[in-house]
Amino acid sequence: MIKKILPQQYKFSEKKVDVFFDVDFSLIETKVSKEKLIFITDENIYALHKEKFSGIKTIVIKPGEKFKNQQTVNSIIDQLINLHADRQTFIVGIGGGVVTDIAGFAASIYMRGIKFAFVPTSILAMVDACIGGKNGIDVGVYKNLVGVINHPEFLLYDYTFLETLPDDEWINGFAEIIKHACIKDKEMFHFLEQHSIMKFQSSLKDIATIVKRNVDIKYNVVLNDEQETGERKLLNFGHTIGHAIENTSKLSHGKAISIGMIAACHISEAINNFHKAETKKISDLLTKYELPVSFSFDKQKTWEILLHDKKKSGDNINFIVLDKIGSASVKPISLHQLHKIFNSI
Ligand code: ADP
Ligand code: ZN
């Protein structure tokens, strides 16, 4: 008899999401009938894992954030029409954060919404992008400006995809893992200190442990604040300055937020009594995971983008600061003071 694989259930107010950790990709066909399935993936993943897509209708998009736009959505919709997708169609986005964001968005608007699920294949998508129900696209320089909140039916984690993940994408994903450790999980911070990317790459057991732990962290934060009025903001640690740097430089998201986290540590020292020694520990950990902690960037341009990005309340800006490693809070800071610290980093 075939052993039935039971998912873990993550309950959001409007949806229960089944999460299958550490399973084989082929499990999908026991969940959804083949005729109803349409896969969406990108060219890289399609080329590297062709055998997984055989016999299933598959839409292949161009890889990278550059293509997370309305034009790609239009092309997906055209292909869904050509494939005779109807209300019974079930879309599965298989890929990194770009694929899951766009697949979830396309599924949510096609015929006013059809069912969908995700198979995250990058560390970043596994621990961050595919949890929380945010789906959408970028418009010009504005990241995730257009989108919907809509949870998938299920998430499936098949860690064998990671065997082909480029090193740079491992590094990118660990920036979000370190972020989670900084804001929520001191114990995980220590665990990370004792590991390295190479160790994780060679141990499926360790990667399974760390991914599950990060899914739990993100899930709990989202669950505590589905409307994004408080706790969920903590997930933006390192992202205020990080996003602005990402926009003005060619740095990847992970690398930009790594610098953003160090900047946020300095701001935490200035306005929240955060210890310098802890900033050093975070800086050492980021360096261990091959992430940059400083970078020469166009300060003027980055500051302008930051101002534009942020919802300002008067002369203050709400900033995510650390209290200590494993605990964060939101504190108002005057734009004047922020600018001063920003210029000194
Ligand atoms: P994210 O970093 O948000 O996950 P992407 O979806 O753009 O963003 O994925 C990052 C890059 O990694 C893309 O070029 C994508 O094609 C590639 N990628 C994702 N998963 C894998 C994988 N398992 N094997 C090889 N390349 C992958
Ligand atoms: Zn991020």
Side-chain angles (χ1 to χ4, degrees), residues 10-29:
Y10 288 75
K11 295 183 185 127
F12 297 97
S13 55
E14 80 275 25
K15 179 88 137 257
K16 288 191 192 88
V17 180
D18 284 343
V19 184
F20 298 93
F21 285 107
D22 204 358
V23 294
D24 192 88
F25 183 74
S26 60
L27 187 77
I28 291 179
E29 287 181 44

Side-chain angles (χ1 to χ4, degrees), residues 42-45 48-49 62-65 94-101 120-126 129 160-166 169 172-173 253:
D42 76 20
E43 285 172 358
N44 294 338
I45 296 147
L48 292 161
H49 299 272
K62 294 220 172 301
E65 186 84 25
I94 300 149
V98 168
V99 170
T100 58
D101 273 13
T121 64
S122 69
I123 298 282
L124 191 130
M126 287 182 183
T160 63
F161 276 103
L162 294 175
E163 286 163 12
T164 59
L165 187 70
E169 298 303 333
N172 219 9
H253 180 72

Side-chain angles (χ1 to χ4, degrees), residues 183-200:
I183 62 168
K184 281 282 161 196
D185 196 337
K186 190 174 173 198
E187 210 180 285
M188 182 166 81
F189 193 93
H190 294 317
F191 181 71
L192 290 167
E193 283 179 320
Q194 285 144 23
H195 279 69
S196 67
I197 294 216
M198 244 162 74
K199 258 191 181 170
F200 281 113

Side-chain angles (χ1 to χ4, degrees), residues 230-246:
E231 169 116 348
R232 196 162 174 173
K233 289 201 171 80
L234 301 183
L235 295 169
N236 286 332
F237 174 62
H239 282 58
T240 304
I241 292 173
H243 270 155
I245 293 175
E246 191 179 354

Side-chain angles (χ1 to χ4, degrees), residues 128 176 239 253 257:
D128 187 10
E176 301 290 353
H239 282 58
H253 180 72
I257 68 152

Side-chain angles (χ1 to χ4, degrees), residues 251-279:
L251 284 186
S252 68
H253 180 72
K255 288 184 176 159
I257 68 152
S258 177
I259 296 159
M261 284 193 273
I262 291 300
C265 284
H266 291 310
I267 289 158
S268 309
E269 287 173 21
I271 67 168
N272 202 36
N273 287 327
F274 185 64
H275 284 269
K276 228 184 171 65
E278 300 236 292
T279 299

